[in-house]
Amino acid sequence: MLKIWSMKKEQQKDENSAEGNGAAAPKKKKVTAAQLRAQKDLSELSLGTTMSTEFPDPDNILSFVLYVEPDEGMYKGGRFSFTFNITPSFPHEPPKVQCREKIYHPNIDLEGKVCLNILREDWKPVLDLNAVIVGLQFLFLEPNASDPLNKEAAEDLRNNREGFKRNVKIAMGGGSVRGESYKRVLI
Amino acid sequence: MATTEVHPASEPARWAYLDRIRTRPGPFTNPDSFDGKVVAEAMENMKILVIGAGGLGCELLKNLALSGFKDIHVIDMDTIDISNLNRQFLFRQTDVGSFKAEVAARFVERRVKGVKITPHNCKIQDFDEDFYMQFQLVVCGLDSIEARRWINAMLVNMVDEEVEDSYKPLIDGGTEGFKGQARVILPTVTSCIECQLDMHAPRAAVPLCTLASIPRQPEHCIEWAHVIAWDQEKPFPDLDKDDPEHITWLYQKSLHRAREFNIPGVTYSLTQGVVKNIIPAIAATNSVIAAACCNEALKIASNCAPFLGYPDNNYMMYSGNDSIYTYTFRHERKDDCPVCGTLARPLPDIDQAWTLRDLVDSFAARPEAQLKKPSVRAEGKTLYMQSPPSLEAQTRPNLDKTLVELGLVDGQEIGVTDPAFATVVFKYRLKFKS
């Protein structure tokens, strides 16, 4: 049988590593890799003044709500929230992000699904939660008519930018746009 | 239907070729560690664990039993489905519905005299460290990344530098269609599955907006029905991918959308395939990969030839897409690997009467850490997070509680992060002063 132990000793000699990992202790309740990574991402989160978080259960850092209050752009004055659900496969899989309010936005559909490349096809494990929230912020500053999830909103943005801006105001104020009624999200 | 009762050649003849490898030194044997007199006996006393009794698992069990391993355990939680029978050759139609591990074990035991196979019809997560400690070698034929990460973390965390037997080599095989890989992991010595996570290509996803506005392929229509139409209409409370009624609903929706965009090719079985992310399993790929894995097991157990893993190459990839191609290379360990890069270090002399604040402050004084803004968590328990602000406010009251009040016990593992060390996660094992 192979002797990994002696290999390890050899390797340690080579690396001249002095760090000991210590003797056997009852090892219990290990911190999982997904949680460690989420902890790391959260402790480096830069939310700025326009965003805040809420943890329904602080012991479960894999599930939280992000509030976004854009201070410029067409959605200025509104307050939107997104649920973040991090799966045990994180960071192999992206976090699941969904908008809780009904929103008139070309890249977010009426169910709250978000069309953001890094939340789906362009996610890489090297990306972190900061990248995702920067992406969300960007969607509010630069709604994008060429990747529509809400086709009507995208059409409006493409054909009549001023009309689109008005519609955003109406929707955020709790009015109806194109037969859909929205809840008031102004602060 | 052929019966499984066959009479192999006499037993000594069956092992003749194997024994030639096991008893004689050859051009590849290591003169320092090969001892032909003891190999066969050592292998017979070795306990080896196979995880998964599916496509790869059937091959692995058969190969290992025929390679001279006598004490094999196998874990699989699944039962046999009729669609398994084309490649999972240890199963017959009458076995449908029975546990895979159970049936596979009995079949191989019947065919290979003297081998003992112990089946476990459960999840790998149902066992603890004590169970895994009894094996000398673990061979995986799994289909999920999650299970691989779990067993990898288990084996890495089991390593105790003072205890030689705590090092368990992990041999991992995997296949997807015509492609596969075989790799050997020597926990904490060579790069682990977590280090190699980027080798698994994430499932190719189609942009959501393509699904919503400009589908071009039948798969786009099915994905649209799956991720968008289902949520809008909620025909059933929860999607059960194994319920034909649910798949039929998705199929009808997809078909309708495909007609709208003039896209041919949506069928019921394609719907099933896309929704369940089925990649056709190829029997030949399984046998190539399982053979490679078994070869590594034999080499590790007998020292008859250098094996994959140390000091050089540890990863063999195979592609049968366009003719046959294999490439073997060395995947480096990652220093910041959250599993093997940071083994939990003991944190001695902790007074259980300490408050969490005492513990948090102590990290600033530790020479290897020197953390000014540490955030601390235990599994399932957020102790103190410096950021984001809402979590800081929620966990601040913990700072004045004692470690005991917070439910921390001797030997508990905690994770410590600090924005000043962006790439490092510190793991510690609390050791209370007695």
Side-chain angles (χ1 to χ4, degrees), chain A residues 1-5 7-12 19-36 39-40 42-45 47 53-55 58-61 88-92 111 113-115 120-121 147-149 151, chain B residues 46 129 136 145 149 157-161 164 167 169 188-189 194 200 205-209 211-213 223 227 231-232 300-301 303 307 310 343 345-346 375 377 379-382 385 387-388 390-391 394 411-413 415 417 422 425 427 429:
Chain A
M1 180 68 187
L2 115 123
K3 300 272 181 266
I4 314 186
W5 198 54
M7 288 175 181
K8 176 78 180 183
K9 295 285 162 212
E10 212 172 282
Q11 193 184 47
Q12 280 178 336
E19 269 178 32
N21 282 302
K27 299 177 188 172
K28 45 193 102 167
K29 292 192 182 168
K30 306 222 168 73
V31 189
T32 65
Q35 296 208 19
L36 270 181
Q39 177 183 342
K40 183 166 102 63
L42 286 171
S43 58
E44 289 161 16
L45 218 53
L47 294 171
T53 54
E54 179 184 285
F55 289 76
D59 287 336
N60 178 10
I61 56 167
S89 303
F90 183 74
H92 184 67
E111 272 73 39
K113 287 200 178 61
V114 183
C115 187
R120 212 174 140 83
E121 70 276 10
D147 293 334
L149 209 51
K151 268 183 282 182
Chain B
M46 205 175 274
E129 200 167 305
Q136 278 80 56
I145 291 171
R149 289 176 82 185
N157 282 312
M158 268 161 56
V159 165
D160 179 339
E161 298 202 326
E164 185 167 354
Y167 289 86
T188 76
V189 178
E194 198 75 24
H200 299 272
V206 182
L208 218 48
C209 30
L211 300 182
S213 47
E223 271 293 281
V227 292
D231 280 357
Q232 276 169 358
I300 288 173
N303 275 314
F307 54 90
Y310 190 85
L343 278 191
R345 291 177 235 222
S375 293
R377 288 191 79 250
E379 170 69 32
K381 178 85 192 161
T382 305
M385 291 287 289
S387 154
S390 76
L391 202 50
Q394 275 174 299
Q412 182 134 17
E413 203 175 285
T417 53
V425 180
K427 282 200 285 185
R429 214 162 48 237

Side-chain angles (χ1 to χ4, degrees), chain B residues 336-365:
Chain B
D336 60 345
C337 170
V339 171
C340 79
T342 50
L343 278 191
R345 291 177 235 222
L347 199 59
D349 292 331
I350 302 297
D351 190 334
Q352 31 185 324
W354 271 13
T355 60
L356 181 61
R357 192 186 306 277
D358 294 330
L359 180 70
V360 167
D361 289 346
S362 76
F363 289 114

Side-chain angles (χ1 to χ4, degrees), chain A residues 87-154:
Chain A
T87 69
S89 303
F90 183 74
H92 184 67
E93 279 177 12
K96 293 189 170 25
V97 177
Q98 195 154 12
C99 184
R100 295 202 297 188
E101 292 80 21
K102 196 181 205 183
I103 180 174
Y104 172 78
H105 190 293
N107 313 111
I108 304 176
D109 73 11
L110 299 175
E111 272 73 39
K113 287 200 178 61
V114 183
C115 187
L116 181 63
N117 62 338
I118 56 168
L119 282 178
R120 212 174 140 83
E121 70 276 10
D122 289 334
W123 171 259
K124 302 271 182 308
V126 294
L127 293 173
D128 58 10
L129 293 177
N130 257 330
V132 174
I133 64 170
V134 168
L136 289 178
Q137 245 178 333
F138 185 72
L139 283 184
F140 285 108
L141 294 177
E142 295 283 337
N144 174 359
S146 56
D147 293 334
L149 209 51
N150 178 337
K151 268 183 282 182
E152 287 80 20

Side-chain angles (χ1 to χ4, degrees), chain B residues 98-233:
Chain B
S98 306
F99 281 109
K100 287 185 174 180
E102 189 84 42
V103 175
R106 295 294 87 86
F107 192 110
V108 176
E109 276 186 345
R110 264 203 312 278
R111 291 285 291 260
V112 185
K113 234 190 209 158
V115 67
K116 187 174 107 210
I117 304 189
T118 313
H120 302 279
N121 311 320
C122 59
K123 294 194 290 198
I124 50 173
Q125 289 86 349
D126 292 346
F127 290 114
D128 61 5
E129 200 167 305
D130 293 338
F131 174 82
Y132 291 103
M133 200 56 99
Q134 65 178 306
F135 302 101
Q136 278 80 56
L137 202 57
V138 179
V139 190
C140 286
L142 286 163
D143 59 0
S144 89
I145 291 171
E146 209 178 317
R148 283 191 176 88
R149 289 176 82 185
W150 190 91
I151 189 68
N152 177 63
M154 170 59 90
L155 295 179
V156 170
N157 282 312
M158 268 161 56
V159 165
D160 179 339
E161 298 202 326
E162 314 286 308
V163 181
E164 185 167 354
D165 287 342
S166 68
Y167 289 86
K168 318 285 181 191
L170 170 64
I171 302 172
D172 177 63
T175 69
E176 198 171 84
F178 284 105
K179 290 185 194 157
Q181 105 269 327
R183 51 186 166 171
V184 176
I185 288 121
L186 310 178
T188 76
V189 178
T190 65
S191 89
C192 76
I193 286 182
E194 198 75 24
C195 299
Q196 301 177 7
L197 211 54
D198 51 5
M199 299 299 294
H200 299 272
R203 178 183 177 187
V206 182
L208 218 48
C209 30
T210 301
L211 300 182
S213 47
I214 38 156
R216 298 181 304 274
Q217 289 164 10
E219 289 83 356
H220 296 168
C221 301
I222 297 167
E223 271 293 281
W224 172 85
H226 179 201
V227 292
I228 296 178
W230 181 279
D231 280 357
Q232 276 169 358
E233 303 184 29

Side-chain angles (χ1 to χ4, degrees), chain B residues 369-423:
Chain B
Q370 302 183 29
L371 305 177
K372 305 277 183 317
K373 289 190 73 184
S375 293
V376 188
R377 288 191 79 250
E379 170 69 32
K381 178 85 192 161
T382 305
L383 297 166
Y384 182 64
M385 291 287 289
Q386 308 258 5
S387 154
S390 76
L391 202 50
E392 195 277 334
Q394 275 174 299
T395 54
R396 203 182 308 141
N398 287 348
L399 286 174
D400 293 319
K401 294 184 187 156
T402 68
L403 303 184
V404 174
E405 280 169 348
L406 289 165
L408 296 177
V409 295
D410 193 39
Q412 182 134 17
E413 203 175 285
I414 53 169
V416 183
T417 53
D418 189 299
F421 294 85
T423 55

Side-chain angles (χ1 to χ4, degrees), chain B residues 261-282:
Chain B
F261 286 88
N262 241 331
I263 299 169
V266 171
T267 61
Y268 182 85
S269 66
L270 186 70
T271 308
Q272 211 176 14
V274 169
V275 171
K276 294 175 79 174
N277 193 25
I278 297 175
I279 294 161
I282 311 271

